[in-house]
Amino acid sequence: GNSVTQMEGPVTLSEEAFLTINCTYTATGYPSLFWYVQYPGEGLQLLLKATKADDKGSNKGFEATYRKETTSFHLEKGSVQVSDSAVYFCALTPYGGSQGNLIFGKGTKLSVKP
Amino acid sequence: SQTIHQWPATLVQPVGSPLSLECTVEGTSNPNLYWYRQAAGRGLQLLFYSVGIGQISSEVPQNLSASRPQDRQFILSSKKLLLSDSGFYLCAWTRGVAGVLRSYNEQFFGPGTRLTVL
């Protein structure tokens, strides 16, 4: 079946540190891959996405590259800020649209200290 | 522009009481609509999705039900709440062609409802 595995949190970093949140997936065919962010007390917002192999999604200084050979979509940011503190969810939708729903990882909580 | 509303924002209910959570979308037509539950330590779980009025698909067996009485209204209900129903409930929508579930469109989430069952 389809599934997403992301690193366990919480992750605590100092401001300006480098961030990596690992995400790997299991899926048949060619899924689309997403990172969503949830700020405290709010719903989820799309952070970035990639729809085919080798695509790189980027937004707000965050990047993730769709690696089919390693079935991974790791999230990175070169210099985190306190305002990046949130829960980050990796997700996929299976190719073809017949299922149509997002399959989420369990989320990784990031805390950035000044 | 499109907006999505959920209410109430928070709810505390006793075990065995009924539940009705409402989600409405503005500024779009024929959206695909979704209900998710986020339980502590368990990530996000899709509960129901709908591609049109009166069309509901359930992803997991449970104590809850969903209805879509209007194109942009999605309701989550229960006749008798259980302790295990506690969690953060999120509604979401994607652009859709009526009757078709699009898997690659961005999902837009509402602000959520925090339900505590005592």
Side-chain angles (χ1 to χ4, degrees):
Chain A
N2 301 303
S3 66
V4 174
T5 302
Q6 58 183 108
M7 61 188 292
E8 296 283 335
V11 175
T12 302
L13 296 174
S14 298
E15 206 165 23
E16 299 184 2
F18 184 85
L19 169 71
T20 300
I21 301 178
N22 290 338
C23 171
T24 56
Y25 67 89
T26 301
T28 54
Y30 301 89
S32 295
L33 302 174
F34 305 82
W35 277 101
Y36 278 79
V37 58
Q38 184 180 30
Y39 297 103
E42 299 183 10
L44 275 70
Q45 305 172 27
L46 179 66
L47 181 60
L48 53 85
K49 69 178 180 182
T51 57
K52 61 181 187 296
D54 300 325
D55 268 3
K56 177 185 284 188
S58 61
N59 185 27
K60 300 181 181 180
F62 291 88
E63 292 183 340
T65 301
Y66 188 143
R67 301 286 189 199
K68 187 162 178 62
E69 64 276 14
T70 55
T71 62
S72 64
F73 193 54
H74 304 322
L75 182 69
E76 296 182 338
K77 185 174 185 181
S79 176
V80 293
Q81 306 300 314
V82 173
S83 57
D84 293 327
S85 297
V87 181
Y88 292 82
F89 292 91
C90 186
L92 68 82
T93 58
Y95 175 75
S98 60
Q99 304 216 14
N101 57 68
L102 278 168
I103 297 167
F104 285 91
K106 291 188 175 182
T108 302
K109 183 176 182 179
L110 170 66
S111 296
V112 180
K113 306 298 183 185
Chain B
S1 63
Q2 299 86 16
T3 56
I4 178 169
H5 304 279
Q6 284 186 246
W7 64 88
T10 60
L11 191 59
V12 180
Q13 292 285 93
V15 169
S17 63
L19 173 73
S20 181
L21 303 182
E22 188 163 345
C23 171
T24 58
V25 181
E26 296 177 357
T28 189
S29 296
N30 302 318
N32 294 331
L33 296 172
Y34 306 81
W35 277 113
Y36 291 88
R37 177 170 58 205
Q38 186 177 22
R42 298 189 62 183
L44 275 162
Q45 181 183 39
L46 178 67
L47 302 176
F48 301 95
Y49 65 88
S50 170
V51 299
I53 296 173
Q55 301 179 61
I56 307 295
S57 295
S58 175
E59 287 295 294
V60 293
Q62 59 202 304
N63 184 43
L64 303 168
S65 62
S67 61
R68 185 168 176 177
Q70 300 180 41
D71 181 46
R72 288 167 289 179
Q73 184 184 32
F74 204 24
I75 297 172
L76 184 69
S77 303
S78 173
K79 293 182 178 178
K80 288 186 178 181
L81 284 169
L82 305 173
L83 286 174
S84 57
D85 292 324
S86 293
F88 192 49
Y89 288 82
L90 289 161
C91 181
W93 71 274
T94 60
R95 292 180 179 83
V97 176
V100 176
L101 206 55
R102 303 281 293 272
S103 70
Y104 48 85
N105 282 335
E106 174 184 354
Q107 288 195 12
F108 300 90
F109 285 80
T113 295
R114 184 157 306 279
L115 171 66
T116 303
V117 182
L118 301 176

